[in-house]
Amino acid sequence: EVQLQASGGGLVQAGGSLRLSCAASGFTFDDYAIGWFRQVPGKEREGVSCINSRGNTYYSGSAKGRFTISSDYAKNTVYLQMNSLKAEDTAVYYCAAETPLPHWGSSCPRFDDRGMDYWGKGTLVTVSS
């Protein structure tokens, strides 16, 4: 059974940092994409960052330059280091996995949440201004 456990959310002041973790289990960590998405109540879910098993990373415009996604293969965990946080980063953050990667192309680079196969429960990030 595939499971994704997101953690690391919390309350931080604007300009501060947080590191989110997504611990994955139930699939081999050699053919996957894991993405971070976020959602504010009343708004659509949006993609933030994504990484695949080839080490390719992708960032949304709002995340680029401030967030860094990485993976630890030994721990089957993907991290999202978020720096220079802004009030508009406040949201529930979800990690999602696409595995195995489809031959027609991964959803990861497009942040297409409809293409992600598994979702974890979210972790709340609150940035106070």
Side-chain angles (χ1 to χ4, degrees):
E1 179 187 5
V2 174
Q3 291 188 337
L4 300 170
Q5 182 65 51
S7 62
L11 174 63
V12 64
Q13 288 187 334
S17 300
L18 280 176
R19 188 177 79 159
L20 305 183
S21 300
C22 177
S25 61
F27 64 93
T28 54
F29 224 54
D30 59 2
D31 186 23
Y32 72 91
I34 289 183
W36 287 97
F37 295 79
R38 67 187 183 186
Q39 189 167 26
V40 175
K43 294 189 176 182
E44 288 190 0
R45 186 162 53 195
E46 63 172 347
V48 177
S49 184
C50 192
I51 188 169
N52 65 24
S53 48
R54 299 175 180 84
N56 301 122
T57 57
Y58 306 91
Y59 297 93
S60 67
S62 62
K64 197 170 296 183
R66 299 187 299 127
F67 296 179
T68 303
I69 193 169
S70 61
S71 59
D72 184 332
Y73 297 103
K75 295 182 179 180
N76 282 16
T77 299
V78 169
Y79 302 98
L80 183 68
Q81 177 67 43
M82 305 188 296
N83 298 328
S84 302
L85 283 162
K86 304 175 183 179
E88 51 263 44
D89 294 317
T90 295
V92 177
Y93 284 70
Y94 300 88
C95 62
E98 180 182 35
T99 182
L101 295 177
H103 64 85
W104 57 83
S106 170
S107 298
C108 178
R110 304 188 307 275
F111 298 119
D112 184 356
D113 58 357
R114 298 167 299 176
M116 306 306 285
D117 301 309
Y118 306 97
W119 290 83
K121 293 182 180 179
T123 185
L124 176 63
V125 172
T126 304
V127 184
S128 63
S129 56

